[in-house]
């Protein structure tokens, strides 16, 4: 597998030929990029358990576990991509002694009852197994701006069992703030289960908690019996609660509970568990142990899955102390029944897009093996990364075939081919992505002025633009 950077360098050498050809043909260079820069995975290195959300103040906030587990951090940016380089502030460091002097895990920041509160799990630093005497605490900000205010300890969450508890989150549903967290319950032989209850004050529950799920399925109990890191996405008349299961190595994965939004969500029977994990490691894209997710929307209002993952499988020592669970993001797509299809972790590089020919609105540019077609197919076969090949052109690389890209034949056919390092290849695979309207683009083949990627007669071709309506050159981006 060619390293993405080497591939870019090699294509770049050939890309200048493409640029010259395009320039000579007077092909417009790509229209100005959309308002927001495209995030590149990994988005933020060494930030596990990331919470990213867009607040009403227009800022994206990010917090997460640091490898040292010794401090609570926060950063913000006007764009998701900007989080990668945003300045990070330390809000609070673990104490010298006592119950909050050891690990600090998985912070989340919430505006609750008008105050910024950051929840986190903490344990003592006594060494041995005592360091896993983990409980949930909170710090609170004294002002309206979490990046400039002063933070101090608010106290400890009074959980039902006062057991190992962590990974709390808050979500609003029908005017009620709910607290959801992971905890070990006496008498149940698991590391953690998920619990839910209305939140009365920042650290006290407004009703008896309900146990939502216990890890029992084979993919939930690999290494450790774990259900942790709940996150809630309310869409299409349902609440989708994802959670993380198994040990934090490559076996870590996302499960999902689904409840109708008009159900009694305090009744465990309202929550139906997906029998299979909804997001798992991918050998194809080299992302392992994807989990501990959160949800946000991008600058265009499109749903985004935020999660951590490593870009290697084998871990030396305890995975908990491997620092390379990086924050990653990708867009969420939905099946016809309204349920989210998370696909696979898309791998390192720019976040991919999907392209629907304007003449086939409910289908997508995709590949089946090396055949390039249009259909509803699996999400990964229709997610294409625009890999820069210099000269303003891009190669269209499917996330599930990262060593291949679309290439034009001399007869106008289009297929997938292994990325080659020569000039001829660049001339046949370099496309100039051009904006042609809100969320619509076309791809001019830089090496053949006047020729475009086309959807015509149910096929994907390269050819001259015709008088068809809707234009066979235009693709809607999602
Ligand atoms: O990353 C530290 C802890 O390990 C998190 O709280 C938990 O979700 C993960 O398993």
């Amino acid at each position: 597998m060619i390293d993405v950077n080497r591939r870019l360098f090699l294509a770049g050498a050939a890309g200048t030929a493409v640029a010259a050809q395009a320039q000579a043909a007077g092909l417009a260079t790509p229209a100005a990029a959309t308002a927001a820069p495209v995030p590149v995975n990994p988005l933020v290195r060494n930030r596990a358990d990331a919470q990213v959300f867009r607040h009403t103040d227009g800022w994206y906030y990010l917090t997460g576990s640091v490898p040292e587990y010794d401090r609570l951090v926060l950063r913000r940016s006007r764009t998701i991509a900007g989080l990668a380089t945003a300045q990070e502030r330390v809000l609070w460091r673990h104490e010298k002694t006592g119950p909050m002097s050891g690990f600090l895990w998985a912070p989340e920041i919430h505006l609750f009852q008008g105050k910024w509160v950051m929840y986190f799990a903490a344990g003592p630093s006594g060494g041995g197994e005592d360091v896993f005497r983990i409980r949930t605490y909170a710090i609170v900000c004294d002002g309206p701006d979490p990046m400039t205010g002063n933070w101090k300890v608010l106290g400890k969450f009074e959980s039902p069992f006062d057991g190992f508890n962590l990974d709390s989150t808050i979500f609003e549903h029908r005017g009620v703030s709910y607290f959801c967290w992971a905890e070990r319950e006496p008498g149940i032989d698991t590391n953690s289960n998920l619990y839910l209850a209305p939140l009365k004050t920042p650290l006290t529950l407004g009703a008896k908690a309900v146990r939502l799920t216990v890890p029992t399925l084979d993919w939930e109990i690999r290494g450790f019996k774990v259900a942790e890191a709940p996150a809630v996405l309310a869409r299409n008349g349902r609440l989708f609660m994802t959670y993380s299961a198994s040990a934090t190595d490559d076996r870590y994965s996302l499960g999902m509970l689904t409840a109708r939004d008009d159900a009694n969500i305090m009744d465990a029977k309202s929550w139906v568990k997906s029998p299979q994990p909804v997001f798992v490691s991918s050998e194809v894209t080299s992302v392992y142990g994807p989990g501990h997710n959160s949800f946000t929307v991008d600058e265009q209002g499109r749903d985004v899955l935020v999660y951590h993952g490593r870009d290697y499988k084998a871990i030396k020592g305890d995975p908990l102390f491997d620092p390379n669970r990086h924050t990653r993001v990708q867009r969420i797509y939905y099946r016809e029944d309204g349920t989210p299809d998370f696909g696979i972790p898309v791998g390192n590089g720019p976040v991919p897009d999907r392209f629907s020919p304007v003449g086939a609105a409910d289908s997508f540019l995709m590949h089946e093996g090396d055949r390039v077609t249009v259909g509803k197919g699996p999400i990964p076969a229709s997610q294409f990364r625009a890999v820069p090949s210099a000269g303003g052109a891009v190669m269209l690389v499917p996330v599930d075939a990262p060593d291949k890209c679309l290439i034009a034949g001399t007869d106008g056919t289009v297929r997938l081919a292994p990325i080659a390092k020569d000039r001829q290849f660049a001339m046949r695979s370099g496309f100039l992505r051009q904006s042609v309207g809100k969320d619509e683009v076309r791809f001019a083949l830089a090496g053949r002025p006047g020729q475009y990627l086309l959807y015509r007669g149910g096929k994907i071709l390269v050819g001259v633009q015709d008088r068809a309506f809707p234009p066979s050159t235009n693709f809607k981006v999602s």
Side-chain angles (χ1 to χ4, degrees), residues 48-49 65-66 69 103-107 121 134 164 166-168 182 226 228-230 244 246-248 252 291-292 308 319-320 325:
D49 314 324
S65 298
V66 300
Y69 298 139
F103 298 142
L104 303 183
W105 286 351
I134 297 283
F164 173 81
L166 68 165
D167 292 357
S168 60
V226 164
E228 64 184 17
S244 295
S246 284
T248 49
Y252 205 57
H292 202 118
H308 71 226
L320 204 51
R325 292 177 294 172

Side-chain angles (χ1 to χ4, degrees), residues 184-360:
R184 179 180 293 150
E185 179 177 346
I188 298 182
D189 176 24
T190 61
N191 271 58
S192 55
N193 317 306
L194 292 187
Y195 297 86
L196 177 70
L199 194 58
K200 184 169 70 178
T201 70
L203 292 172
T204 54
L205 302 177
K208 185 176 182 316
V210 60
R211 181 187 331 118
L212 295 186
T213 183
V214 175
T216 56
L217 303 176
D218 70 296
W219 54 270
E220 295 181 306
I221 59 175
R222 291 174 179 159
F224 292 104
K225 298 178 181 178
V226 164
E228 64 184 17
V232 174
L233 176 68
R235 287 289 183 276
N236 308 322
R238 277 152 288 183
L239 298 182
F240 301 107
M241 182 185 289
T242 50
Y243 63 96
S244 295
S246 284
T248 49
D249 53 24
D250 65 298
R251 297 169 292 183
Y252 205 57
S253 59
L254 290 185
M256 189 166 78
L257 303 175
T258 301
R260 289 168 51 95
D261 67 6
D262 58 359
N264 169 12
I265 65 170
M266 284 300 291
D267 177 349
K269 294 192 291 301
S270 299
W271 295 90
V272 177
K273 181 186 287 189
S274 300
Q276 296 301 326
V278 294
F279 199 58
V280 300
S281 296
S282 170
E283 303 273 349
V284 168
T285 61
S286 299
V287 177
Y288 299 95
H292 202 118
N293 76 287
S294 55
F295 295 109
T296 188
V297 292
D298 71 8
E299 299 81 358
Q300 293 171 249
R302 301 174 298 187
D303 289 337
V304 170
L305 175 69
V306 182
Y307 59 97
H308 71 226
R310 296 185 183 88
D311 43 25
Y312 52 79
K313 182 173 185 175
I315 296 167
K316 294 190 188 69
D318 184 337
L320 204 51
F321 304 110
D322 171 285
N324 296 312
R325 292 177 294 172
H326 306 314
T327 301
R328 298 168 176 274
V329 293
Q330 61 189 66
R331 287 209 288 286
I332 298 172
Y333 300 102
Y334 293 88
R335 297 184 182 86
E336 288 175 3
D337 67 0
T339 57
D341 182 344
F342 299 113
I344 63 174
V346 295
N348 291 355
V351 167
D353 292 314
R354 297 177 83 197
F355 302 102
S356 285
V358 293

Side-chain angles (χ1 to χ4, degrees), residues 144-166:
D145 183 347
M147 289 297 284
T148 58
N150 301 304
W151 289 80
K152 67 179 176 39
V153 174
L154 180 64
K156 178 182 169 191
F157 163 55
E158 299 309 328
S159 79
F161 313 108
D162 192 25
F164 173 81
N165 69 82
L166 68 165

